[in-house]
Amino acid sequence: MLTGSSFLAMFFLGVGTNIIGSASNNIGLDPFQIGLLITFQNIGFILSVLVSGSLADSRSKPKLLGIGSLILAVSFYFYYLWGSFVLNLFIMLVIGIGIGTYEGVADALLLEIQDRKQSVFITINHFFVTFGALMIAFYLIFLQMNWRRSMTQSAILVGVLAVLFFLQKSSITKTEQSTWLDRYRTIRKGKVVYILFF
């Protein structure tokens, strides 16, 4: 059940990353506004991956994914429910936080619950990101479906996913973990981290 939930979470990560481009024409956004929305989404995404990825070492991964799903469900529902661009910048930041939780925790969950062929499960997990992005583009651009209704539908499905995550427990027992600050110091010592960052 956790594996399927992880796949579904990554599907909605793909939906979240592609919703701006797919719905922007129907909303009436210009390129400058689209760029700002993507920027705010990426800021939320980066912050969320940093925090959730670190918390995944010491906290329940299903609960973290449940929190991320709840955040994403609410932000999906309110995305351009009202026309205020400034308000929707904040909502896009929150969408970034929701999908960032998926990115920071879903792979770690699969590594924890799968004993064999972990690389296969990780690959499938990331396939669902692409699949989600393709599906929302197909749904909105090619089928010309109502983008506002699609956001409400996505919000409901992600809300159900949140409930599924909250009801599930990881079978791995909790072990003693180093603090976030200790892990940060360890990462900071590795020069390869700076190379990968740039």
Side-chain angles (χ1 to χ4, degrees):
M1 188 70 159
L2 277 172
T3 302
S5 298
S6 175
F7 292 163
L8 191 56
M10 295 302 266
F11 174 87
F12 283 107
L13 192 162
V15 170
T17 56
N18 207 36
I19 193 64
I20 302 168
S22 300
S24 60
N25 192 41
N26 292 324
I27 298 170
L29 300 172
D30 61 45
F32 178 73
Q33 290 174 316
I34 294 168
L36 276 177
L37 287 167
I38 292 171
T39 300
F40 271 71
Q41 182 186 44
N42 286 333
I43 290 169
F45 182 85
I46 290 166
L47 292 174
S48 181
V49 170
L50 285 170
V51 173
S52 64
S54 178
L55 289 174
D57 288 336
S58 56
R59 300 284 189 271
S60 165
K61 294 171 185 65
K63 282 185 182 173
L64 289 172
L65 288 167
I67 292 167
S69 297
L70 195 59
I71 290 169
L72 189 60
V74 171
S75 56
F76 269 176
Y77 179 77
F78 286 109
Y79 180 64
Y80 265 98
L81 188 62
W82 302 289
S84 169
F85 181 70
V86 175
L87 176 61
N88 284 287
L89 281 177
F90 173 75
I91 292 170
M92 189 52 68
L93 178 80
V94 179
I95 288 176
I97 291 169
I99 63 176
T101 306
Y102 290 166
E103 182 67 34
V105 182
D107 285 347
L109 175 67
L110 288 177
L111 290 172
E112 184 178 86
I113 63 176
Q114 298 298 333
D115 295 327
R116 295 181 300 164
K117 297 185 178 180
Q118 292 173 327
S119 60
V120 173
F121 283 100
I122 299 297
T123 301
I124 294 170
N125 210 31
H126 285 271
F127 162 78
F128 273 91
V129 178
T130 306
F131 184 57
L134 286 172
M135 285 304 293
I136 196 66
F138 183 76
Y139 192 70
L140 295 180
I141 295 172
F142 296 106
L143 294 180
Q144 290 295 304
M145 301 299 285
N146 184 294
W147 72 271
R148 181 61 254 167
R149 188 181 304 133
S150 76
M151 293 307 296
T152 303
Q153 291 167 351
S154 296
I156 292 167
L157 290 173
V158 175
V160 171
L161 185 60
V163 172
L164 289 175
F165 277 125
F166 283 125
L167 292 175
Q168 296 175 68
K169 293 180 182 176
S170 177
S171 60
I172 306 300
T173 55
K174 195 173 178 180
T175 57
E176 189 68 29
Q177 297 288 341
S178 57
T179 66
W180 189 89
L181 190 59
D182 289 336
R183 291 194 296 272
Y184 172 71
R185 286 183 186 132
T186 303
I187 291 170
R188 199 176 61 180
K189 290 176 186 174
K191 292 179 182 177
V192 70
V193 173
Y194 296 104
I195 294 168
L196 290 171
F197 177 79
F198 284 110

